[in-house]
Amino acid sequence: MTTDSGPALDGAAILANVEEIRPLLREHAAEVEAARRLTEPVVDALRSTGVFRMAMPVTWGGPEVDICRQIEIIETLSRADASAGWCAMIGSDSGFYSGYLDDAAARSLYPRLDAVTAGWVAPVGTLEVSDGGYRLSGRWSFGSGVTHADVIVGGARVTENGSPRLLADGTPEARIAMLPAAQWQVLDTWSPLGMAGSGSHDYAIDDAFVAAEHTWVYGQSYRSGPLYRWRGMFVVNFFGVPVGVALDACDVAASILDGKLLMPEMTPARDEPYVRADIARARAMVGAARSYVYDTVGTIWSTVVAGDEPSLEQRAQLVGLFAHTVSECRTAVRLLVDTVGTVAIQDGCPLGRQMRDLDTIAQHVVAKRKMWEWAGGMYFGQDPPLPFL
């Protein structure tokens, strides 16, 4: 494995590295869940693989990994532990976010390739105009990975003398601010049933100065590679988490059922027709969802590599894909839990944790019913309200 001072990494090397740490992630999964954050050994292991630098540009010595390989890497991590995969997915956004800043400002926040970014871009804070920049205040929820981040971001409404500053079209101006993690306060608020280890606590800041060059709006990246040409690319590796969790759940369920005797018949579960059918159905559901992910994302990737903008129809397919993928993976794992029975609900059973993790992922904004509605509207020519879709 490598650090900034080691040999250059590419997507294949990072994938090989994450395969290598899967046993460690499995070993620490229960501890991570109890701690409600990634523990230090897990963060160190993830950093050593190069996963956090996936989207860093070649001009910085980064790998600039194509988006389909990024999904595969996150999928591999999530097969070992959903929280580790989720935090790797979030933390690897550094390469995307830094691309919205000019090079000098970006390098001042990211002196190393493996720096972790966390935070939420929704404009719930305020940026009061100040000489040379802004004064940032606010509190944000669901800050996955803030407990081990190097840089934290927060979306905010721009105010001037306490009043909202308006754009030319009359809408309130909003920007995303980025500051070193040490300047933010992490609040101990995350206590969910699933994805507990993601450390998705609230975080806050009060009247902190942010230089203007450390703020940005959605639009064109300063970088020219295909990874940065479309503003929504940074959310696409999300798919690796639900797919990876569900793929591993298929293996876990099959392993349990292979050694289980059904009561009261005392017959091997693996010989029962409904058990065989349920295993096959679940694998088909997850496999179909996975294939649809790589087909859809691969088409979009080919479009941006060719120098074109994804069409509204391509984006509509992608938007619907978020809710579809989580729904199908969740339904498949629910089927597996019901088929395995009481073993799945015992404390420490990976299958039970995987079900809880998917239940929690399903509550994320990109997995909600609204995504279906927005996708449908896009097929009729209407843009969705989220700027990164």
Side-chain angles (χ1 to χ4, degrees):
M1 296 187 187
T2 185
T3 63
D4 283 4
S5 60
L9 286 172
D10 60 13
I14 295 173
L15 180 59
N17 287 345
V18 301
E19 285 278 11
E20 186 178 332
I21 70 164
R22 280 176 61 185
L24 181 146
L25 299 183
R26 290 185 188 277
E27 178 186 345
H28 286 263
E31 181 184 357
V32 162
E33 185 175 41
R36 295 177 297 118
R37 59 178 293 172
L38 296 191
T39 57
E40 187 173 347
V42 170
V43 175
D44 290 344
L46 288 172
R47 203 184 297 271
S48 74
T49 67
V51 66
F52 293 128
R53 69 172 67 180
M54 287 196 300
M56 284 297 191
V58 170
T59 54
W60 283 16
E64 208 168 309
V65 177
D66 75 79
I67 198 63
C68 290
R69 181 53 65 89
Q70 287 194 35
I71 294 173
E72 187 179 8
I73 290 167
I74 298 302
E75 175 188 311
T76 301
L77 290 168
S78 300
R79 291 188 72 148
D81 179 48
S83 290
W86 184 270
C87 287
M89 178 264 294
I90 296 291
S92 67
D93 285 342
S94 299
F96 293 109
Y97 286 157
S98 61
Y100 284 108
L101 308 178
D102 70 53
D103 202 63
R107 286 180 181 271
S108 71
L109 282 175
Y110 294 96
R112 56 177 179 163
L113 292 177
D114 295 311
V116 176
T117 302
W120 190 236
V121 296
V124 298
T126 58
L127 277 167
E128 173 67 19
V129 175
S130 179
D131 186 27
Y134 307 90
R135 308 297 302 190
L136 176 65
S137 298
R139 174 172 174 165
W140 294 258
S141 298
F142 308 117
S144 300
V146 289
T147 56
H148 60 268
D150 300 294
V151 176
I152 293 178
V153 305
R157 300 175 303 278
V158 177
T159 60
E160 193 165 11
N161 299 319
S163 298
R165 192 162 73 177
L166 304 181
L167 299 173
D169 63 1
T171 59
E173 181 180 357
R175 301 186 70 82
I176 293 96
M178 303 171 64
L179 285 169
Q183 295 186 233
W184 304 76
Q185 180 186 8
V186 176
L187 307 172
D188 190 351
T189 56
W190 184 242
S191 186
L193 294 177
M195 297 296 293
S198 67
S200 302
H201 298 284
D202 288 8
Y203 60 103
I205 201 165
D206 184 40
D207 197 35
F209 177 75
V210 186
E213 58 267 26
H214 287 162
T215 71
W216 51 278
V217 296
Y218 283 109
Q220 186 62 46
S221 173
Y222 279 87
R223 296 174 183 149
S224 59
L227 197 59
Y228 318 108
R229 288 179 189 154
W230 179 55
R231 64 186 182 276
M233 198 66 76
F234 81 99
V235 299
V236 178
N237 59 13
F238 165 94
F239 296 111
V241 182
V243 169
V245 173
L247 284 171
D248 192 68
C250 289
D251 291 341
V252 170
S255 178
I256 293 171
L257 291 166
D258 190 43
K260 181 178 180 178
L261 294 177
L262 297 179
M263 300 291 289
E265 303 96 329
M266 297 301 291
T267 57
R270 64 178 179 271
D271 294 336
E272 180 64 37
Y274 84 85
V275 169
R276 294 183 175 191
D278 287 352
I279 287 289
R281 285 175 57 205
R283 286 191 179 273
M285 292 170 67
V286 178
R290 183 178 189 270
S291 295
Y292 188 35
V293 164
Y294 285 100
D295 179 69
T296 301
V297 175
T299 299
I300 290 176
W301 180 249
S302 296
T303 298
V304 297
V305 167
D308 298 321
E309 182 84 3
S311 68
L312 189 61
E313 183 168 339
Q314 286 178 317
R315 290 164 50 213
Q317 187 171 341
L318 182 71
V319 171
L321 185 63
F322 284 101
H324 172 78
T325 304
V326 175
S327 176
E328 288 296 288
C329 289
R330 185 188 190 194
T331 300
V333 175
R334 176 64 66 192
L335 173 63
L336 293 171
V337 168
D338 290 345
T339 306
V340 166
T342 54
V343 176
I345 63 172
Q346 300 301 313
D347 186 33
C349 178
L351 191 59
R353 182 171 65 245
Q354 289 161 334
M355 186 72 260
R356 297 193 302 274
D357 289 339
L358 284 167
D359 282 342
T360 301
I361 292 171
Q363 308 314 311
H364 193 278
V365 62
V366 299
K368 301 289 281 183
R369 180 181 176 85
K370 279 288 185 184
M371 294 292 280
W372 286 117
E373 297 173 9
W374 294 339
M378 293 170 78
Y379 285 115
F380 290 106
Q382 182 178 349
D383 269 316
L386 295 180
F388 53 81
L389 297 176

